Amino acid sequence: MEEKIYRSYIEILKEELVPALGCTEPIAIAYAAAKAAEILKESNGEKVQIAEHKTEEKAGTADRNGAKSILQRASDNCNGHLDVYCSGNIIKNVKSVTVPNSGGMRGIEAAALLGLVGGDASRKLEVLEGITEEQREETRRLLEKKFCTCYLQEGVANLYIRAELTLEGHSACVTIEDKHTNIIKIEKDGVVLFEKACKAEADAGAKEQSDKRALLNVADILQFADEVRIEDIKDVIGRQIEMNTAISEEGLRNPYGAEVGRTLLNAYGDDIKIRAKAKAAAGSDARMNGCSMPVVINSGSGNQGMTCSLPVIEYAKELKVPEEQLYRALVVSNLVAIHQKSYIGSLSAYCGAVSAACGAGAAIAWLNGGDYEAVARTITNALANTSGMVCDGAKSSCAAKIASAVDAAIMAYTLESANHCFQPGEGLVKDNVEDTIRNMGYVGRVGMKDTDVTILNLMIDQQQA
């Protein structure tokens, strides 16, 4: 295939399929707060974090004592505070989810304070991996003191976080926008230390990324999956298989949330169609309810990363295909999911499990020998079914939505294999798969804007149901 397309697809996979610890929205808040703490400790000469992740016990103890005193003094003497300003979609996706490594704490304030107290900003989406029980206790104490306040920030990007930390006369402010680790501005004591490139350069960078996504289409994705050199994708896809399988197994072993995955297996047995749904749901059961294991995300979401990978892994086992074939199938699922999200955007009222499961359905069709037409019909059937599913935030029921979306994707392939496909003119279905994907993306990005606002207002009790 054309070299430009080949290299762009490799870059997209490497950019999108990265590890994250816990639901990405609370992690992004923790990251912003941890970064503010990192900036501020340079001002006051004391450690804001309880531990600085050092290996020497003596050094760690000294850091803990220094850190604890400054936070206690600030909270006790009312000369310090953490203010977090978030877009509506961030609030929606953090309000009900358990913060990873928090010992069961939920919400924006808990995520921010845990990042402040013990986060390691250098780990980015794994910022909370090294949290200790002592740090959890300090976070609970600061929550009781109401040391952190969250505010809705209107008129900003769908993904927007600003953490403003004040301690004993010094301040630090960190702003994240558009992507979960995309820091666009850092200030210390009112002085700008870092700001993203000027608007023209930033727009050029965004255009470059958009141009790469614009090269995505189903036909080229399938050609790329057939031709890609395994060594070019082995690390990124192999990591997705390893991490996402591990958290799925954890969700099946232990009672997390509503136990959707475990319940499906117990109620319906281990038929491949059930296993495919249950494995994906179980990963979400664990992740939405505080499991500290990392996952490899897709389109900025761990749930989407699990949804477009775990059903495909399960079908590959059932079909006993070689490992290389599984890697190529996961290329199909991941890129088809990213292709759809390029039209929808990172956060909206459109449930991302739908696009991710649709990617899984495309890969399942491909694993079973389906050609371009078979994959295109599978995508069309899936989108014509579940595209109305709304996102009302990250929480336990995401696992059930994942199971429903995967079920729809499997049904889509089953219909296609029986030579059935929804026809152009039926709802939003168009003459070709690319126009159908574009239609559904427009609904998610533009048509559901008011839906998104309504959902948020209901969630924060600003509107009566």
Side-chain angles (χ1 to χ4, degrees), residues 67-77 138 141-142:
K68 196 168 184 181
S69 64
I70 190 172
L71 287 174
Q72 281 189 334
R73 288 198 307 267
S75 60
D76 292 345
N77 300 330
E138 178 70 355
R141 191 189 70 79
L142 291 171

Side-chain angles (χ1 to χ4, degrees), residues 287-364:
R287 194 164 192 267
M288 293 294 95
N289 292 281
C291 177
S292 60
M293 297 173 69
V295 303
V296 169
I297 65 178
N298 180 294
S299 302
S301 164
N303 277 339
Q304 290 172 55
M306 292 184 291
T307 303
C308 70
S309 61
L310 290 165
V312 181
I313 294 168
E314 205 58 32
Y315 265 86
K317 291 178 186 175
E318 178 75 8
L319 297 171
K320 296 180 172 59
V321 302
E323 182 182 63
E324 178 180 321
Q325 198 76 346
L326 168 59
Y327 276 63
R328 296 184 187 280
L330 286 171
V331 165
V332 173
S333 61
N334 280 292
L335 287 179
V336 168
I338 293 166
H339 180 29
Q340 295 173 72
K341 286 292 285 185
S342 297
Y343 290 108
I344 299 166
S346 56
L347 295 175
S348 78
Y350 185 104
C351 178
V354 172
S355 50
C358 184
I364 290 167

Side-chain angles (χ1 to χ4, degrees), residues 35-45 163-165 167 169-174 185-194:
K35 191 67 177 179
E38 178 184 283
I39 297 301
L40 195 57
K41 73 184 180 187
E42 298 171 6
S43 295
N44 54 34
E164 297 183 356
L165 174 63
L167 284 176
H170 295 283
S171 65
C173 179
V174 174
K185 192 173 185 179
I186 297 174
E187 299 170 79
K188 184 173 75 174
D189 292 332
V191 177
V192 176
L193 300 183
F194 166 80

Side-chain angles (χ1 to χ4, degrees), residues 157-455:
N158 280 352
L159 198 164
Y160 179 92
I161 300 163
R162 188 172 79 251
E164 297 183 356
L165 174 63
T166 302
L167 284 176
E168 298 188 331
H170 295 283
S171 65
C173 179
V174 174
T175 304
I176 289 174
E177 189 172 280
D178 290 330
K179 288 188 175 294
H180 296 84
T181 58
N182 182 39
I183 294 176
I184 63 168
K185 192 173 185 179
I186 297 174
E187 299 170 79
K188 184 173 75 174
D189 292 332
V191 177
V192 176
L193 300 183
F194 166 80
E195 192 165 11
K196 273 290 193 196
C198 68
K199 188 176 186 305
E201 292 179 0
D203 288 347
K207 184 179 185 304
E208 180 183 357
Q209 188 179 65
S210 177
D211 287 346
K212 280 191 293 190
R213 302 297 192 274
L215 294 173
L216 289 167
N217 63 82
V218 175
D220 282 343
I221 288 171
L222 295 180
Q223 183 181 358
F224 175 76
D226 285 335
E227 297 180 9
V228 65
R229 295 181 290 274
I230 294 299
E231 62 266 26
D232 288 341
I233 59 168
K234 189 170 183 60
D235 288 346
V236 67
I237 298 295
R239 182 173 59 190
Q240 184 180 54
I241 294 169
E242 178 184 356
M243 288 187 173
N244 293 5
T245 298
I247 196 170
S248 172
E249 291 172 352
E250 169 70 11
L252 289 174
R253 279 194 303 266
N254 296 296
Y256 288 95
E259 302 181 48
V260 176
R262 284 156 58 99
T263 301
L264 286 174
L265 287 180
N266 289 336
Y268 301 114
D270 65 351
D271 174 86
I272 178 57
K273 295 185 290 297
I274 303 302
R275 293 202 311 274
K277 294 188 292 183
K279 291 292 181 75
S284 182
D285 283 328
R287 194 164 192 267
M288 293 294 95
N289 292 281
C291 177
S292 60
M293 297 173 69
V295 303
V296 169
I297 65 178
N298 180 294
S299 302
S301 164
N303 277 339
Q304 290 172 55
M306 292 184 291
T307 303
C308 70
S309 61
L310 290 165
V312 181
I313 294 168
E314 205 58 32
Y315 265 86
K317 291 178 186 175
E318 178 75 8
L319 297 171
K320 296 180 172 59
V321 302
E323 182 182 63
E324 178 180 321
Q325 198 76 346
L326 168 59
Y327 276 63
R328 296 184 187 280
L330 286 171
V331 165
V332 173
S333 61
N334 280 292
L335 287 179
V336 168
I338 293 166
H339 180 29
Q340 295 173 72
K341 286 292 285 185
S342 297
Y343 290 108
I344 299 166
S346 56
L347 295 175
S348 78
Y350 185 104
C351 178
V354 172
S355 50
C358 184
I364 290 167
W366 185 86
L367 273 174
N368 280 278
D371 59 8
Y372 167 77
E373 292 298 334
V375 171
R377 288 193 295 266
T378 299
I379 292 171
T380 298
N381 286 342
L383 291 178
N385 183 3
T386 52
S387 290
M389 191 184 297
V390 298
C391 172
D392 55 343
K395 64 220 171 300
S396 293
S397 67
C398 288
K401 293 187 179 190
I402 287 171
S404 296
V406 172
D407 184 73
I410 294 170
M411 183 198 302
Y413 166 65
T414 303
L415 288 169
E416 190 287 321
S417 62
N419 202 31
H420 299 304
C421 182
F422 299 113
Q423 296 300 303
E426 296 181 348
L428 296 174
V429 175
K430 302 295 285 184
D431 291 327
N432 61 77
V433 68
E434 297 300 335
D435 285 343
T436 300
I437 290 172
R438 193 173 294 111
N439 264 8
M440 299 303 178
Y442 189 84
V443 169
R445 187 183 74 256
V446 178
M448 299 181 80
K449 276 187 176 179
D450 288 343
T451 303
D452 207 24
V453 173
T454 299
I455 289 170

